[in-house]
């Protein structure tokens, strides 16, 4: 998908000026779109033509929903039988508990995605028509593009054609309609299709799975905590929240809290935040969204399992218990392994960027975490990346998008039981 996207975005027809976009910029954009990150070295609205923007949004849609999901839909449309191996891969890709009903879940994923994106497109198009004074066709196009981008947590926007390059969503900072619709789209895309399916079926089943309970409760807690922390830390900052009225301060704080979960759009200048706030955003980006969603990061369930393991250790318990359910030890081990590998990945690429980019370390760490978490937020470093820096970020976006899923799949297959146990040893901890 990235190779195909790079080729298409390199064509003269993809450029608004008719001049080929440099190969490295096309590769960066294709990777960012396919991995639903949102980092951009050039302004989407002014540099790419309508053809290029359509290519980007198709990459975003395929990357957000998942390649295997799209391939399965095409196979079903062609009346092709889904093999056992393909069902197993789908089970891992969608983080489904069993192989039963995985094809049915794929159909739900596509249906729910299209319905949410359609609703978002209509709501946004109507508002863009009246607020930006666009033609009907242009307003509809803007609505579709931004709805797909926000629901898939990509963060690309076309506002550069209206308010200037890289203006983003900042002009809408005091617009409650755009803020609310965008936050809902990001939230629905970030909780995952399994949770979305559970919520839709809830009126009939009157129950939620353990996974859905963990995702929903943890997501709400992180949004609330993030909102309060941003509000408190930036309240008196003249470059961010101070010029806004009381309600505007709270709305902007909530928007930044929601979007750091993998949304990729911002109504405030992240580079103007206080360092304490920026570091808190790094932690939120590292945590990311839910498994089986359009978002990235180590996933919110991994974060909850780590907290559960710490709580169990402090309380002297052997098992991690969530909502009165015991979590298998191998799942906890996977969470710890995934978190450590993710940290090592961010540390490695932050060191590489520190060598090639002459920027302060906070900007580099923020950029690395944003790329790994497929968040798309930046403190302004993206447009100043050197050629080698762009390559580092391309690799980090790629690993961030496929890493957790492929790692879990690799750790859970071909398991062999040890034929013997080693004698127990003791080492001192702490």
């Amino acid at each position: 998908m990235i190779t195909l996207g790079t080729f298409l975005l390199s064509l003269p027809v993809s450029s608004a000026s008719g001049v080929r976009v440099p190969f490295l910029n096309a590769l960066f954009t294709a990777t960012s779109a396919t991995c639903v990150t949102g980092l951009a070295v050039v302004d989407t609205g002014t540099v790419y033509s309508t053809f290029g923007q359509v290519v980007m949004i198709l990459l975003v849609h395929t990357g957000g929903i998942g390649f295997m999901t799209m391939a399965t839909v095409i196979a079903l449309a062609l009346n092709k039988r889904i093999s056992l191996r393909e069902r197993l891969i789908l089970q891992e890709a969608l983080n489904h508990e069993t192989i039963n009903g995985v094809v049915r879940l794929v159909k739900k994923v596509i249906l729910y995605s299209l319905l949410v994106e359609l609703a978002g497109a209509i709501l946004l198009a109507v508002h863009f028509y009246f607020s930006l004074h666009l033609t009907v066709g242009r307003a509809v196009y803007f609505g579709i593009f931004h709805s797909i981008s926000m629901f898939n947590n990509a963060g690309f926007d076309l506002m550069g054609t209206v308010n200037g390059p890289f203006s983003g969503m900042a002009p809408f900072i005091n617009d409650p309609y755009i803020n609310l619709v965008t936050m809902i789209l990001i939230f629905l895309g970030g909780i995952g299709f399994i949770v979305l399916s559970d919520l839709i079926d809830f009126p009939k089943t009157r129950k939620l799975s353990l996974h859905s309970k963990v995702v929903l409760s943890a997501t709400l807690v992180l949004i609330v905590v993030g909102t309060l922390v941003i509000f408190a830390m930036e309240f008196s900052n003249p470059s961010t929240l101070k010029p806004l009225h009381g309600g505007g301060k709270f709305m902007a704080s909530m928007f930044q809290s929601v979007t750091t979960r993998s949304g990729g759009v911002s109504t405030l200048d992240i580079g103007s935040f206080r360092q304490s706030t920026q570091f808190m955003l790094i932690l939120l980006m590292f945590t990311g969204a839910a498994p089986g969603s359009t978002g990235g990061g180590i996933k919110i369930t991994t974060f909850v399992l780590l907290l559960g393991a710490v709580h169990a250790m402090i309380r002297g318990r052997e098992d991690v218990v969530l909502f009165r359910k015991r979590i298998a030890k191998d799942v906890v081990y996977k969470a710890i392994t995934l978190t450590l590998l993710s940290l090592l990945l961010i540390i490695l690429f932050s060191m590489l960027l520190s060598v090639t980019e002459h920027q302060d370390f906070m900007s580099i760490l923020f950029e690395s975490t944003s790329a790994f978490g497929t968040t798309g937020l930046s403190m302004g470093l993206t447009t100043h990346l050197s050629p080698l820096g762009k390559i580092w970020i391309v690799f980090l976006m790629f690993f961030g998008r496929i890493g957790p899923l492929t790692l879990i799949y690799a750790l859970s297959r071909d398991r062999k039981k040890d034929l013997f146990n080693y004698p127990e040893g003791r080492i001192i901890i702490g």
Side-chain angles (χ1 to χ4, degrees):
M1 291 300 299
I2 292 172
T3 303
L4 177 62
T6 302
F7 169 74
L8 293 174
L9 291 175
S10 298
L11 298 175
V13 70
S14 294
S15 172
S17 63
V19 179
R20 286 177 179 270
V21 174
F23 172 79
L24 192 53
N25 287 351
L27 172 63
F28 191 100
T29 303
T31 306
S32 184
T34 306
C35 298
V36 290
T37 304
L39 291 175
V41 289
V42 294
D43 182 66
T44 305
T46 55
V47 171
Y48 291 103
S49 63
T50 302
F51 176 83
Q53 294 164 5
V54 170
V55 169
M56 287 178 61
I57 211 64
L58 289 176
L59 290 175
V60 166
H61 198 271
T62 304
I65 293 178
F67 176 76
M68 278 303 300
T69 304
M70 293 296 292
T72 303
V73 171
I74 294 172
L76 291 172
L78 298 175
N79 291 322
K80 181 181 177 295
R81 184 176 176 275
I82 309 300
S83 67
L84 177 61
R85 176 178 174 79
E86 291 166 343
R87 290 171 188 265
L88 287 170
I89 296 175
L90 278 172
Q91 178 193 347
E92 297 293 336
L94 293 171
N95 286 274
H96 200 239
E97 293 180 358
T98 66
I99 195 174
N100 295 329
V102 70
V103 175
R104 188 165 58 252
L105 178 61
V106 167
K107 294 177 180 178
K108 285 184 177 181
V109 166
I110 294 296
L111 178 61
Y112 297 160
S113 299
L114 292 177
L115 288 176
V116 172
E117 288 170 352
L118 177 62
I122 294 172
L123 292 173
L124 291 174
V126 171
H127 193 74
F128 287 151
Y129 175 75
F130 289 105
S131 64
L132 300 180
H133 307 292
L134 303 175
T135 62
V136 175
R138 195 67 177 162
V140 170
Y141 175 66
F142 264 51
I144 294 172
F145 186 97
H146 289 93
S147 179
I148 294 175
S149 178
M150 300 311 166
F151 175 71
N152 289 282
N153 285 197
F156 291 106
D157 67 82
L158 303 177
M159 294 305 161
T161 58
V162 180
N163 302 305
F166 294 107
S167 56
M169 304 299 286
F172 298 100
I173 189 169
N174 288 313
D175 190 330
Y177 184 95
I178 290 293
N179 277 259
L180 184 60
V181 172
T182 303
M183 284 191 287
I184 291 174
L185 287 171
I186 294 173
F187 174 80
L188 292 178
I191 60 176
F193 300 112
I194 296 173
V195 179
L196 200 55
S197 177
D198 270 4
L199 289 175
I200 292 173
D201 293 338
F202 182 75
K204 292 187 295 184
T205 60
R206 290 294 174 183
K207 65 177 182 179
L208 294 173
S209 65
L210 174 62
H211 172 81
S212 296
K213 290 178 182 178
V214 170
V215 168
L216 290 173
S217 57
T219 297
L220 292 175
V221 168
L222 284 181
I223 289 175
V224 171
V225 170
T227 301
L228 295 177
V229 171
I230 294 172
F231 185 83
M233 290 183 173
E234 298 298 316
F235 186 86
S236 59
N237 188 342
S239 299
T240 55
L241 293 184
K242 189 175 181 179
L244 304 176
H245 59 81
K249 287 184 173 67
F250 185 79
M251 183 172 63
S253 300
M254 179 176 287
F255 191 93
Q256 312 318 307
S257 178
V258 171
T259 194
T260 49
R261 304 295 314 294
S262 203
V265 289
S266 178
T267 55
L268 293 171
D269 179 18
I270 303 297
S272 299
F273 279 14
R274 293 191 169 101
Q275 283 198 345
S276 54
T277 312
Q278 291 168 348
F279 188 71
M280 194 271 297
L281 296 184
I282 288 175
L283 297 178
L284 289 175
M285 291 191 298
F286 181 71
T287 302
S293 72
T294 59
I298 62 171
K299 308 302 182 188
I300 193 167
T301 47
T302 303
F303 177 69
V304 171
L305 282 176
L306 293 178
L307 293 181
V310 172
H311 180 263
M313 179 62 67
I314 293 174
R315 297 294 296 271
R317 295 174 178 171
E318 290 188 3
D319 298 318
V320 175
V321 178
L322 300 174
F323 291 96
R324 298 185 179 180
K325 298 287 184 180
R326 177 173 55 84
I327 308 300
K329 283 186 169 58
D330 64 323
V331 177
V332 179
Y333 291 150
K334 285 179 188 176
I336 295 172
T337 304
L338 178 59
T339 303
L340 287 177
L341 288 177
S342 300
L343 277 173
L344 290 174
L345 200 62
I346 291 175
I347 291 170
L348 171 63
F349 279 91
S350 294
M351 291 173 64
L352 292 173
L353 285 168
S354 297
V355 174
T356 60
E357 312 306 309
H358 302 291
Q359 300 285 339
D360 63 283
F361 186 72
M362 180 63 81
S363 297
I364 290 173
L365 180 61
F366 195 98
E367 193 85 5
S368 299
T369 310
S370 178
F372 171 78
T374 68
T375 307
L377 296 176
S378 177
M379 290 173 57
L381 176 59
T382 311
T383 53
H384 298 97
L385 287 170
S386 66
L388 199 53
K390 292 177 184 178
I391 294 174
W392 298 144
I393 295 296
V394 163
F395 276 114
L396 199 48
M397 289 189 292
F398 180 76
F399 291 143
R401 181 56 179 161
I402 70 166
L405 295 178
T406 51
L407 177 62
I408 291 173
Y409 180 62
L411 292 176
S412 61
R413 70 180 209 179
D414 296 334
R415 293 178 58 191
K416 295 180 180 179
K417 199 167 186 178
D418 292 332
L419 300 178
F420 56 89
N421 290 329
Y422 289 98
E424 188 178 276
R426 292 281 183 179
I427 59 174
I428 299 173
I429 299 294

